[in-house]
Amino acid sequence: MAVYTEVTDEALRAFLADYDLGGLIAFRGIAEGVENSNYALRTERGDFILTLYEKRVDPAELPYFLGLMEHLAGRGLPCPTPVHGRDGAALRALCGRPAAICTFLEGVWPRRVRPEHLAPLGAALARLHAAGEGFAVVRPNALGPAGWAPLLDGCRERGNEVAPGLIAELDERLAAILAAWPAPGALPMGQIHADLFPDNVFFLADSDGRPRLSGLIDFYFACTDLLAYDVAVCLNAWCFEPDGSFNVTKARALVGAYAAIRPLSDAERAALPVLCRGAAIRFLLTRLYDWTHTPPGALVTRKDPLEYLRKLRFFAHATGAEAIGA
Amino acid sequence: MAVYTEVTDEALRAFLADYDLGGLIAFRGIAEGVENSNYALRTERGDFILTLYEKRVDPAELPYFLGLMEHLAGRGLPCPTPVHGRDGAALRALCGRPAAICTFLEGVWPRRVRPEHLAPLGAALARLHAAGEGFAVVRPNALGPAGWAPLLDGCRERGNEVAPGLIAELDERLAAILAAWPAPGALPMGQIHADLFPDNVFFLADSDGRPRLSGLIDFYFACTDLLAYDVAVCLNAWCFEPDGSFNVTKARALVGAYAAIRPLSDAERAALPVLCRGAAIRFLLTRLYDWTHTPPGALVTRKDPLEYLRKLRFFAHATGAEAIGA
């Protein structure tokens, strides 16, 4: 479910009157994304996505997200571009929520990741990092290393209900990750996506049937952090098979295509295993927090935290960068 | 939530290969409808809706629904038209479910019904009834009068948890409705939509801002029943204000525009009050059944049965057709 706010047609027409988009042709809720309400919007000027930002997004951070998307799209990255109203503003209000219209991107996200998806993904991630240069706003990563211990504390009361001994294991693993984490300034930083899961990446098929990346969406976890951490997020999100095994062919394709556009330094390659452990514990902790704080009857899909415990354990045993395809 | 079945991109491409629709351009889940999985599909040939029929739809009934839509669309009604595969079949299989592609209809369903919506609605309903002539397949109304007593029996155990004394009141009201129900053959029958709620009707704005009806969707409750019963469903679904009051201006606009195209006989007008009570108890009973049989934590939105108890009581006091706008 990704429509939390129903927009009346009168409110929508009044909202659209502030844009130069022509008449309304179609408007359908989209069943994707979990944080915000998303609508597919068609006007006389074309197709767009209307997003109403719900309570999990801090309105104060929206100018960063929208500004970054506009900056990246302006440099040729295939990501949504905020559409400005007649008064120049892209961030507006609708039904009491912050709201924005962005361009529509063609493509289909891969429900089943194939090795051929990984090189286009790696290349696009490197282009995203390059395109982010010159966007001067800094947004610290709220779900970065400094946020993990408080998240774990929030799971302490009920976390062991998910798996016996889980909290003790996470205490130990988190301490090891934080001890090995790169020192500030040791690795290149920049604007990162930080949540580049398959459902945030669209592909079209080339004439020969090979996937061509057509869009990167959902920049609402984007932040300013280690560029190589974004690679580690993708290794977590794209390179494990449904049976839990790590597909090193996918990992090599991802890292190889990334490095062909933005070379990884020796220090970045050496840090990738701990960055992967960090990314694994980040998704484990947010899922565990949601799992232990969401009433079982709530109208949201709870994602399995233990999927990321298995990934964390895998990366904990992968001491060299080669073992993870780097 | 209206995506119950995730379609992998490989399965989708293989499915589309059986159609003459060109390459896949976009594919997004739609957050509308509750019975089936619906996707907005864009190919080189245009926009379509892909529906996977989930377990609440009997596969044996799909040829009726698809055949009726094709029949109505062929007679100019703005409803989805099933798209045939290369082998001529419109009803196919995808991910282990019956599936069909239909044409996409422009328009926006009215989140807030205004009086101006009712005349276009009434006219379209009359055209639907006229266009249905010549479609010879008979589908009895499974949720018609013969189905109401069994539905009420299914609610007997827990129905009074929703409102004290509810079951006794419904026993009494149902008996009165069935006693007053038109005898077989007394009123004209035909193909009816039977579920023409606002979210199944799309409108565009004319150049002068007035709503122009652009589409009727979701024919999966369609059946062969009293034509005037469809008017009664719309009086229930479109003519009450959020505060529970009955808007007779809307009712008159609906019935007047309907009768201008398909005149209502004196017998049909006289029967409208009991048909309205029947439609009210039909939606009350299915909602009550879902309410008392759905675990509170299930991933579905339960609709309030008591909304239709209030409507049922209103129509029980409206003894003459004039009181309800007819």
Side-chain angles (χ1 to χ4, degrees):
Chain A
M1 180 75 178
V3 174
Y4 304 94
T5 304
E6 272 295 359
V7 179
T8 67
D9 26 333
E10 291 118 311
L12 178 62
R13 281 176 216 279
F15 182 75
L16 287 178
D18 290 332
Y19 290 86
D20 190 25
L21 290 176
L24 173 62
I25 292 179
F27 184 60
R28 311 279 151 92
I30 301 181
E32 298 183 12
V34 290
E35 302 285 332
N36 301 313
S37 295
N38 289 301
Y39 288 92
L41 168 70
R42 179 174 297 175
T43 77
E44 289 168 340
R45 292 291 155 82
D47 285 291
F48 304 91
I49 301 291
L50 167 66
T51 300
L52 279 74
Y53 300 98
E54 303 290 346
K55 59 173 187 251
R56 285 182 79 154
V57 175
D58 179 354
E61 303 201 302
L62 287 168
Y64 169 85
F65 300 135
L66 294 174
L68 177 61
M69 285 191 274
E70 183 155 5
H71 178 95
L72 295 173
R75 275 147 194 80
L77 197 80
C79 72
T81 315
V83 177
H84 294 256
R86 294 180 201 277
D87 62 0
L91 178 59
R92 315 187 71 89
L94 177 57
C95 297
R97 276 134 183 99
I101 293 175
C102 288
T103 53
F104 173 88
L105 293 174
E106 294 186 345
V108 181
W109 65 264
R111 273 72 176 173
R112 192 176 307 164
V113 175
R114 288 177 285 134
E116 306 92 271
H117 290 115
L118 274 295
L121 173 71
L125 186 65
R127 289 198 185 96
L128 188 165
H129 291 167
E133 285 180 32
F135 187 72
V137 190
V138 170
R139 178 181 181 252
N141 187 355
L143 296 171
W148 298 336
L151 263 176
L152 180 51
D153 283 340
C155 302
R156 215 166 277 285
E157 190 179 329
R158 301 194 46 209
N160 288 332
E161 294 172 21
V162 175
L166 178 61
I167 296 299
E169 177 175 349
L170 293 182
D171 274 331
E172 192 174 324
R173 293 197 187 277
L174 178 56
I177 291 168
L178 295 178
W181 201 253
L187 299 182
M189 290 185 70
Q191 309 297 357
I192 70 169
H193 186 286
D195 192 42
L196 204 53
F197 276 63
D199 57 344
N200 288 332
V201 184
F202 294 156
F203 293 89
L204 290 169
D206 258 344
S207 54
D208 61 358
R210 294 185 66 82
R212 177 168 58 82
L213 191 146
S214 60
L216 304 173
I217 64 163
D218 200 347
F219 282 75
Y220 302 106
F221 287 99
C223 54
T224 316
D225 203 344
L226 305 177
L227 298 177
Y229 179 70
D230 238 2
V231 179
V233 169
C234 289
L235 287 165
N236 272 274
W238 291 76
C239 297
F240 287 88
E241 299 301 313
D243 67 3
S245 62
F246 185 75
N247 186 326
V248 77
T249 302
K250 290 179 176 173
R252 282 187 191 133
L254 168 70
V255 177
Y258 180 91
I261 289 172
R262 187 192 156 262
L264 288 162
S265 69
D266 289 346
E268 283 179 303
R269 284 181 192 273
L272 264 182
V274 70
L275 298 180
C276 284
R277 295 197 283 278
I281 209 164
R282 171 257 183 269
F283 291 105
L284 195 169
L285 287 171
T286 48
R287 288 184 176 197
L288 185 63
Y289 188 91
D290 287 346
W291 197 275
T292 54
H293 289 75
T294 307
L299 276 170
V300 296
T301 307
R302 298 189 303 175
K303 293 179 179 167
D304 180 13
L306 298 182
E307 177 190 341
Y308 275 84
L309 180 62
R310 292 186 287 272
K311 293 180 178 180
L312 175 58
R313 288 174 177 166
F314 169 82
F315 287 122
H317 290 100
T319 46
E322 273 177 34
I324 57 170
Chain B
M1 177 75 175
V3 174
Y4 303 94
T5 304
E6 271 294 0
V7 179
T8 68
D9 27 334
E10 291 116 312
L12 178 61
R13 281 177 217 280
F15 182 76
L16 288 178
D18 290 333
Y19 290 86
D20 192 25
L21 291 176
L24 173 63
I25 292 179
F27 184 63
R28 311 280 152 91
I30 302 181
E32 299 183 12
V34 290
E35 303 285 330
N36 300 314
S37 295
N38 289 301
Y39 288 93
L41 168 70
R42 180 174 297 175
T43 77
E44 289 167 340
R45 292 291 155 79
D47 285 290
F48 304 91
I49 301 291
L50 167 66
T51 301
L52 279 73
Y53 300 98
E54 303 290 347
K55 59 175 187 248
R56 284 182 77 154
V57 175
D58 179 355
E61 302 201 302
L62 287 169
Y64 169 85
F65 300 134
L66 294 174
L68 177 61
M69 283 191 276
E70 184 154 3
H71 178 94
L72 295 173
R75 274 147 194 81
L77 197 80
C79 72
T81 316
V83 178
H84 294 256
R86 294 179 200 278
D87 64 358
L91 178 58
R92 315 186 72 87
L94 178 57
C95 298
R97 277 144 182 90
I101 293 175
C102 287
T103 52
F104 173 89
L105 294 174
E106 294 185 346
V108 180
W109 65 263
R111 274 71 178 173
R112 192 177 307 163
V113 174
R114 287 176 286 134
E116 306 93 271
H117 290 116
L118 274 295
L121 173 72
L125 186 66
R127 289 197 184 97
L128 188 164
H129 292 166
E133 284 180 31
F135 187 71
V137 190
V138 170
R139 178 180 182 254
N141 188 356
L143 296 172
W148 298 336
L151 262 176
L152 179 52
D153 282 339
C155 303
R156 215 165 277 285
E157 191 179 330
R158 301 195 47 210
N160 287 331
E161 295 172 20
V162 175
L166 178 60
I167 296 298
E169 177 174 351
L170 292 182
D171 274 331
E172 191 173 326
R173 293 199 187 277
L174 178 56
I177 292 168
L178 294 178
W181 201 253
L187 299 182
M189 290 186 68
Q191 310 297 356
I192 69 168
H193 185 286
D195 193 42
L196 205 52
F197 278 63
D199 56 346
N200 289 331
V201 184
F202 295 156
F203 292 88
L204 289 169
D206 258 343
S207 55
D208 61 357
R210 292 185 68 82
R212 176 167 59 82
L213 191 146
S214 61
L216 305 172
I217 65 162
D218 200 347
F219 283 75
Y220 302 105
F221 288 98
C223 53
T224 316
D225 204 345
L226 306 177
L227 297 177
Y229 180 69
D230 239 2
V231 179
V233 169
C234 289
L235 287 166
N236 272 274
W238 291 75
C239 297
F240 287 89
E241 299 301 311
D243 67 3
S245 62
F246 185 75
N247 185 326
V248 77
T249 301
K250 289 179 177 174
R252 282 187 191 133
L254 167 70
V255 176
Y258 180 93
I261 289 173
R262 186 192 157 263
L264 288 163
S265 68
D266 289 347
E268 283 180 302
R269 284 181 191 272
L272 264 182
V274 70
L275 298 180
C276 285
R277 294 196 283 278
I281 208 165
R282 170 258 183 270
F283 292 105
L284 195 169
L285 288 172
T286 49
R287 289 183 176 197
L288 185 63
Y289 188 90
D290 288 347
W291 197 277
T292 54
H293 289 76
T294 306
L299 276 169
V300 295
T301 308
R302 298 188 303 175
K303 294 178 178 166
D304 181 12
L306 298 181
E307 176 189 343
Y308 274 84
L309 180 61
R310 291 185 287 271
K311 293 179 178 180
L312 175 58
R313 288 174 177 165
F314 170 81
F315 287 122
H317 290 99
T319 46
E322 272 176 35
I324 58 170

